[in-house]
Amino acid sequence: MELSYLEQINQAADAIRARIGSRSPEIGLVLGSGLGDLADDVSDAVAIDFGDVPHFPVSTVAGHAGRFVVGTLEGKTVIVMQGRFHYYEGYSMRQVAAPVYVMRKLGVRTLVVTNAAGGMNRAFRPGDLMLICDHINMTGDHPLIGKNEPELGPRFPDMSEAYSKPYRELAHRLSSQIRGDDGNALELQEGVYCGISGPSYMTPAELTMLARLGGDAVGMSTVAEVIAARHCGLNVLGISCITDMAIGEELEPLSHEQVVEVANRTKPKFAALVKAFVREAND
Ligand code: R1P
């Protein structure tokens, strides 16, 4: 008999628990395209390939190692997803969201979700970091469609503050203590993330539409994970690394290699911000 979604999540969590011993992660981090190196800073680390976790698919995207790393970062026990699943890889929204519930089962209360995204706001520049203050789900699908598992969360979860305001305020405070390449304090952008299905990048007309709808950045991940996180009661900090300008009237050709390369270049300030947050955050 096929296992229920909840049973699959419980089995996945049990398998990870068997590998990490007495560690109980309190913060979960999802590292997006080109941002995975931060997992190298986790000490006393146990790495678990997604392929070794029951019911998990494998991550097929370049720039996504496809594994959990559990260990210590800035004095806190963390579970890092070095890479993630995307809807366009052919996985259902429920599969994309499942790792969030698994992390919750393992004890996580705070989720840091990161991604590489195109900047639709003209005030942004490639290499900027944007705190996500809200999202627009433009994927045409939803991870909670189907039977609700009350043990995971309510049928109709509240999304009035999907991205924690106190966490955003903390991130802004912390950024003032972080120096950028020019020696000045790190300037953090803030805006609305539009989640699309991908895998093609957007046309100019589509980008003009998304900007008019209120989007500041666009990408192919994050919304399913954050919906699941709020469903199961996690507090979320979202950070987009703006890797390219996605303005309809001025659009230039784009490749995934470019996206990963620019995301990689933000590593020092991205890592400094995430680590400071991990150090200071309370759920
Ligand atoms: C496109 O270059 C890929 O980079 C981003 C997009 O969503 C897409 O998967 O990846 P992450 O959102 O996983 O960072």
Side-chain angles (χ1 to χ4, degrees), residues 30-35 61-62 64 83-86 88-89 114-117 193 196-197 199 201 218-222 225 243-244 254-257 259-260:
V30 185
L31 301 181
S33 291
L35 302 169
V61 185
H64 289 254
R84 58 154 56 91
F85 305 120
H86 301 86
Y88 62 74
E89 293 176 83
T114 71
N115 58 56
Y193 178 90
I196 58 164
S197 70
Y201 294 117
V218 59
M220 306 169 193
S221 66
T222 300
E225 295 153 2
T243 51
D244 52 276
L254 178 66
S255 71
H256 182 58
E257 289 67 35
V259 168
V260 171

